[in-house]
């Protein structure tokens, strides 16, 4: 592709590695396009939906005139796969923070797990994690959390279109979820643990689809330069 192609607009499907922030991934692409193809330093580039550093998978990056399509892409349903660890919680609902409480799991059967899934299908009320980038009083929630400041977080409506358990090997449960924009899979893990009268946190997360875009067609951000 020519520099003009990127300026006119491209949708780039990136497979984000573990521990990279979405911001870092976009910056890597921007640096590569400027230095390899000679694009102007102020050309437009942005991603259509943040992926946490502890998650891998599909990050859609738009360039040039296609950055106008970002909000439309963000609004599409997303598919995730991953793993819940049952019997323990963390303040961040994932592996960013240490375990803060443990719970019994003897009462949890495969049947109970499959029955509990049904509670989360359709429109649900969900509270975002305290360790999230949502702003409260002009400050991001994770900044409040790291400062030890307790804040009241309002729940919000979200939609779980599909929720499938793909493996049960207690304390691990693997899943596949298709959900609406704004769904926090970390919160789903936490709430799922509560519904089992136990606790849970997210240990693995991979975004596999956004609308019709599939991670199978994505390129690893570290290999993007080679693909030019």
């Amino acid at each position: 592709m020519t520099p003009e192609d990127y300026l006119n607009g491209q949708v780039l499907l990136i497979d984000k590695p573990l521990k990279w922030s979405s911001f870092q991934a976009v910056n890597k692409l921007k640096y590569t396009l400027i230095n390899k193809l000679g694009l102007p330093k102020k050309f437009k580039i942005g991603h259509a939906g943040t992926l946490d550093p502890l998650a891998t998978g599909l990050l859609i990056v738009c360039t040039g005139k296609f950055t106008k399509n970002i909000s439309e892409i963000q609004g599409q349903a997303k598919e995730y796969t991953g793993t819940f660890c049952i019997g323990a919680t963390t303040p961040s609902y994932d592996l960013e923070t240490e375990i803060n409480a443990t719970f019994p799991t003897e009462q949890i059967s495969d049947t109970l797990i499959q029955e509990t899934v049904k509670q989360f299908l359709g429109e649900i009320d969900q509270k975002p994690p305290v360790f999230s980038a949502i702003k409260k009083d002009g400050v991001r929630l994770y900044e409040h959390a790291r400062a030890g400041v307790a804040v009241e977080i309002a729940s919000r409506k979200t939609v779980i279109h599909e929720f499938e358990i793909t493996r049960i090997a207690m304390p691990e449960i693997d899943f596949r979820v298709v959900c609406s924009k704004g769904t926090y899979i970390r919160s789903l893990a936490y709430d799922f643990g509560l519904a089992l009268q136990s606790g849970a946190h997210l240990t693995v997360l991979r975004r596999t689809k956004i609308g019709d875009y599939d991670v199978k067609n994505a390129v690893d951000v570290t290999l993007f330069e080679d693909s030019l």
Side-chain angles (χ1 to χ4, degrees):
M1 264 186 280
T2 66
E4 287 71 29
D5 290 329
Y6 287 101
L7 292 172
N8 286 331
Q10 294 296 321
V11 175
L12 308 176
L13 305 188
I14 299 300
D15 190 344
K16 188 191 80 64
L18 190 66
K19 297 188 177 175
W20 280 59
S21 71
S22 300
F23 181 74
Q24 282 175 309
V26 171
N27 265 4
K28 169 73 172 171
L29 297 183
K30 186 174 184 178
Y31 179 86
T32 301
L33 290 169
I34 289 169
N35 286 279
K36 284 273 290 203
L37 294 185
L39 266 66
K41 288 185 177 177
K42 290 192 175 180
F43 86 97
K44 289 183 178 178
I45 186 168
H47 65 74
T50 303
L51 202 51
D52 287 341
L54 292 180
T56 66
L58 185 59
L59 184 72
I60 296 181
V61 178
C62 298
T63 73
K65 294 172 184 173
F66 281 18
T67 52
K68 293 175 184 174
N69 301 340
I70 282 177
S71 59
E72 180 192 331
I73 295 170
Q74 280 178 327
Q76 298 182 30
K78 297 170 179 67
E79 181 186 81
Y80 295 91
T81 60
T83 304
F84 300 151
C85 181
I86 308 297
T89 56
T90 71
S92 60
Y93 302 170
D94 65 3
L95 294 176
E96 185 185 338
T97 53
E98 299 291 322
I99 288 170
N100 63 347
T102 55
F103 303 86
T105 58
E106 301 80 34
Q107 79 281 14
I108 300 171
S109 64
D110 289 11
T111 303
L112 178 62
I113 290 167
Q114 297 293 356
E115 284 297 310
T116 303
V117 164
K118 296 173 186 176
Q119 297 177 30
F120 293 91
L121 287 168
E123 187 178 78
I124 61 170
D125 286 311
Q126 187 184 74
K127 280 191 175 182
V130 291
F131 281 80
S132 64
I134 294 168
K135 285 188 176 178
K136 171 93 173 179
D137 303 325
V139 179
R140 297 198 184 277
L141 288 182
Y142 64 76
E143 293 174 351
H144 283 301
R146 286 170 186 159
V149 178
V151 293
E152 184 58 38
I153 304 169
S155 63
R156 45 172 69 184
K157 299 284 185 189
T158 187
V159 180
I160 306 295
H161 302 290
E162 298 175 39
F163 187 5
E164 175 190 5
I165 301 301
T166 55
R167 180 184 71 110
I168 299 172
M170 291 292 287
E172 292 186 345
I173 297 176
D174 289 357
F175 64 87
R176 183 186 68 86
V177 167
V178 179
C179 56
S180 65
K181 174 190 176 184
T183 303
Y184 280 90
I185 307 299
R186 287 182 286 149
S187 292
L188 183 64
Y190 180 81
D191 293 340
F192 195 75
L194 281 181
L196 292 171
Q197 297 187 319
S198 181
H201 61 285
L202 185 68
T203 56
V204 177
L205 185 65
R206 182 163 175 78
R207 185 158 66 195
T208 45
K209 291 181 183 176
I210 300 175
D212 292 330
Y213 298 106
D214 196 312
V215 74
K216 290 175 186 171
N217 302 317
V219 61
D220 188 302
V221 69
T222 59
L223 302 176
F224 176 73
E225 188 170 346
D226 299 334
S227 72
L228 289 177

